[in-house]
Amino acid sequence: MEHTLADITVLAHDEAVQLDADQLGLLYGQLGEDQADTVICRALEELANRLSTIERAYYQDDRPALAKAARGLIGVADQVGMPGLATIASSVGGLAHGQDDPALAAALARLVRLGDRSLAAIWEVQDLGGAI
């Protein structure tokens, strides 16, 4: 059986970033603009580092390190109002302990995609001076 390009299904990965405006507002309300910006900058750096660690651990097949980095990402994502990212990180962490390699690969790809988008979105919020 011969296949053509018309037989190929392309999946569109267009998941919206979820930013919890209440959490961000709480940060800015409690800390003030300058301190909140500092907290968010540090959180963004930590998110980027943890995403990198998660990918590296996955490709090195280091499941314990993968699970640990995913757990750490959950706390940071929650701190800066990224509940969707925290949920996916939780899934990755759980899958790291199992044997479902295709599910782990899919969840990891989703985490990286949404992580990149989330970092960009929170930078946009910060560029607006915390306006949400």
Side-chain angles (χ1 to χ4, degrees):
M1 173 181 240
E2 188 174 320
H3 294 282
T4 66
L5 287 179
D7 297 326
I8 297 173
T9 301
V10 176
L11 301 176
H13 302 290
D14 192 23
E15 184 172 7
V17 171
Q18 297 174 355
L19 291 180
D20 183 346
D22 292 337
Q23 178 62 27
L24 289 171
L26 185 66
L27 270 176
Y28 279 94
Q30 287 178 338
L31 302 176
E33 185 175 333
D34 289 341
Q35 286 184 338
D37 283 346
T38 299
V39 167
I40 290 172
C41 279
R42 287 185 184 144
L44 291 175
E45 184 177 332
E46 188 62 27
L47 284 172
N49 287 335
R50 290 197 188 260
L51 285 167
S52 176
T53 299
I54 287 167
E55 282 189 284
R56 186 172 39 258
Y58 174 77
Y59 288 113
Q60 293 174 349
D61 199 27
D62 185 348
R63 299 290 179 99
L66 174 58
K68 180 180 179 182
R71 282 192 309 272
L73 193 140
I74 295 166
V76 178
D78 281 337
Q79 179 186 23
V80 291
M82 298 179 179
L85 190 62
T87 299
I88 298 166
S90 178
S91 295
V92 168
L95 288 164
H97 296 294
Q99 299 299 315
D100 193 344
D101 292 343
L104 176 59
L108 176 71
R110 183 176 178 213
L111 179 66
V112 170
R113 269 193 319 273
L114 192 60
D116 289 344
R117 290 180 184 162
S118 295
L119 289 170
I122 199 77
W123 270 119
E124 287 177 19
V125 168
Q126 192 176 29
D127 286 346
L128 296 173
I132 41 181

